[in-house]
């Protein structure tokens, strides 16, 4: 028995009109009428009749309707179970990563992971806020994060890389050394990277009580670097944030050496799947090769 025809039968009876039903189910009126005629021939007796009140069930149709409803209910339950099984077999790992990490690490990581887990899909989400990956992890909207270490107790954290912090200076900046003393940021026009990156900047400045003439920006890393290049201020960023974007500026490590710890995290209360464990192993191998 064709469940689709029975569903359309129910719609036609509920609306009391072939024309109204055709608008709902997406068939022409003639096509729908032909389908109902075919259903009646298949069953062996009329199901519908035309009255002054519209389309109604025949006596035989009314007798059959409870069984039709049960059939459609069972059919819908079967389809739902089939879809659930399909979804279980189609595993998806959701990843949230900083833009800099996504750009420099994710392509190689996903290439390696795909070779050992070809049937697992990866949904990569690039974020520009230092805390967003942890918030997504906490709310269950992502499975694995790649970020800088933050104070979140819900995260099972794996350190990956100590990223050095660099001073970003205009090309004509009078630089006497191959490094930039943190104290020289004092009272300078400072372009603060967007997306709560100020957490890492303040962590470097606080021990030395450094105060800058801070200018909050709401632009991406590359635009901020171009702003420095035009003499609008100086800034400080992590190594990955400036990689490949140094043409217009001078980038030197700050002194004393300042780092931010990059790593990957999963929710501490959620059991890691075998695929997630393999993803983490791929990442650790990749980082080991880079060092």
């Amino acid at each position: 028995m064709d469940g689709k025809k029975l569903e359309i039968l129910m719609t036609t009876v509920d609306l009391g009109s072939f024309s109204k039903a055709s608008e709902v189910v997406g068939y022409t009126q003639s096509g729908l009428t032909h389908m109902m005629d075919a259903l009646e021939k298949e069953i062996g007796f009329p199901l519908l009749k035309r009255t002054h009140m519209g389309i109604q069930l025949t006596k035989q149709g009314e007798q059959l309707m409870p069984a039709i409803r049960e059939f459609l209910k069972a059919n819908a339950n079967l389809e739902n179970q089939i879809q659930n099984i399909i979804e279980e077999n189609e595993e998806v790992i959701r990843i949230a990563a900083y833009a800099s990490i996504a750009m420099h690490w994710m392509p190689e990581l996903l290439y390696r992971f795909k070779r050992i887990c070809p049937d697992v899909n990866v949904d990569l989400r690039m974020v520009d806020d230092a805390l967003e990956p942890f918030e997504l992890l906490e709310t269950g909207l992502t499975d694995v994060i790649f970020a800088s270490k933050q104070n979140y107790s819900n995260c099972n954290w794996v350190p990956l890389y100590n990223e050095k912090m660099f001073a970003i200076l205009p090309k004509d900046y009078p630089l006497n050394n191959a490094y930039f003393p943190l104290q020289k940021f004092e009272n300078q026009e400072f372009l603060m990277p967007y997306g709560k990156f100020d957490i890492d900047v303040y962590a470097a400045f606080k021990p030395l009580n450094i105060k800058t003439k801070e200018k909050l920006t709401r632009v991406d890393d590359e635009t901020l670097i171009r702003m420095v290049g035009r003499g609008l201020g100086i800034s400080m960023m992590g190594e990955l944030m400036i990689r490949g974007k140094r043409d217009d500026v001078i980038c030197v490590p700050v002194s004393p050496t300042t780092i931010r710890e990059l790593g990957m995290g999963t929710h501490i209360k959620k059991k890691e799947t075998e695929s997630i464990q393999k993803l983490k192993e791929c990442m650790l191998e990749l980082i080991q090769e880079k060092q």
Side-chain angles (χ1 to χ4, degrees):
M1 186 67 63
D2 189 341
K4 184 65 177 179
K5 291 178 182 178
L6 294 176
E7 288 179 3
I8 292 176
L9 169 67
M10 297 277 290
T11 301
T12 302
V13 172
D14 289 341
L15 296 177
S17 165
F18 280 127
S19 61
K20 290 180 180 178
S22 65
E23 294 177 1
V24 172
V25 300
Y27 287 86
T28 63
Q29 184 173 340
S30 60
L32 190 149
T33 302
H34 178 76
M35 185 180 294
M36 292 300 96
D37 289 343
L39 178 62
E40 290 178 332
K41 288 181 181 179
E42 183 179 349
I43 290 176
F45 49 81
L47 297 172
L48 299 172
K49 61 183 178 180
R50 289 180 172 86
T51 71
H52 67 282
M53 298 179 64
I55 300 298
Q56 294 183 337
L57 288 168
T58 62
K59 183 177 180 180
Q60 296 96 323
E62 290 178 351
Q63 292 175 332
L64 201 60
M65 191 53 61
I68 291 176
R69 293 184 188 277
E70 286 298 320
F71 174 83
L72 292 176
K73 183 178 179 180
N75 194 51
N77 183 52
L78 175 61
E79 289 180 355
N80 287 337
Q81 290 192 40
I82 291 173
Q83 186 60 35
N84 288 337
I85 292 173
I86 292 174
E87 291 177 357
E88 288 175 0
N89 291 334
E90 292 180 351
E91 183 181 355
V92 177
I93 298 177
R94 299 165 300 170
I95 296 176
Y98 289 172
S100 56
I101 294 177
M103 180 182 299
H104 296 292
W105 290 354
M106 290 299 104
E108 178 63 22
L109 171 64
L110 299 184
Y111 168 73
R112 295 184 182 206
F113 178 68
K114 195 68 177 178
R115 292 173 63 186
I116 61 174
C117 295
D119 298 326
V120 179
N121 294 317
V122 175
D123 180 6
L124 176 60
R125 179 173 183 167
M126 190 168 65
V127 300
D128 292 312
D129 187 294
L131 302 182
E132 187 177 358
F134 298 89
E135 294 167 353
L136 292 170
L137 190 67
E138 189 170 13
T139 55
L141 295 177
T142 197
D143 304 306
V144 184
I145 65 171
F146 292 88
S148 63
K149 187 176 183 180
Q150 305 293 337
N151 187 27
Y152 275 78
S153 59
N154 66 338
C155 183
N156 179 23
W157 183 253
V158 179
L160 293 175
Y161 186 73
N162 287 332
E163 183 187 34
K164 286 185 179 181
M165 303 289 280
F166 283 70
I168 317 299
L169 312 167
K171 280 283 190 182
D172 59 358
Y173 191 92
L175 188 66
N176 299 320
N177 301 292
Y179 57 87
F180 188 81
L182 283 173
Q183 290 88 343
K184 283 200 170 185
F185 283 111
E186 185 75 29
N187 292 324
Q188 296 258 28
E189 298 282 346
F190 188 89
L191 300 178
M192 183 65 74
Y194 183 60
K196 295 189 175 66
F197 185 73
D198 56 346
I199 295 173
D200 297 310
V201 173
Y202 292 148
F205 287 171
K206 186 176 180 180
L208 300 174
N209 197 29
I210 295 170
K211 305 294 183 183
T212 68
K213 297 176 182 178
E214 180 181 325
K215 295 182 178 179
L216 179 63
T217 62
R218 297 182 180 273
V219 297
D220 58 55
D221 299 340
E222 185 171 358
T223 301
L224 187 144
I225 291 172
R226 289 176 180 270
M227 291 171 67
V228 172
R230 299 301 293 177
L232 299 175
I234 63 176
S235 190
M236 184 168 70
M237 291 182 173
E239 175 189 345
L240 293 186
M241 298 169 70
I242 61 176
R243 192 174 290 178
K245 307 169 186 175
R246 305 185 182 193
D247 292 344
D248 301 326
V249 294
I250 300 171
C251 300
V252 292
V254 298
S255 178
T257 299
T258 302
I259 62 110
R260 66 172 185 167
E261 182 179 284
L262 302 182
M264 58 182 168
T266 54
H267 200 292
I268 199 166
K269 293 184 179 179
K270 292 185 178 179
K271 185 178 179 181
E272 294 180 3
T273 65
E274 182 179 352
S275 298
I276 288 178
Q277 291 174 359
K278 289 181 178 179
L279 179 78
K280 293 174 74 173
E281 289 171 3
C282 285
M283 188 71 240
L284 289 171
E285 290 175 2
L286 175 60
I287 291 297
Q288 188 174 12
E289 291 176 11
K290 289 181 175 292
Q291 293 176 344

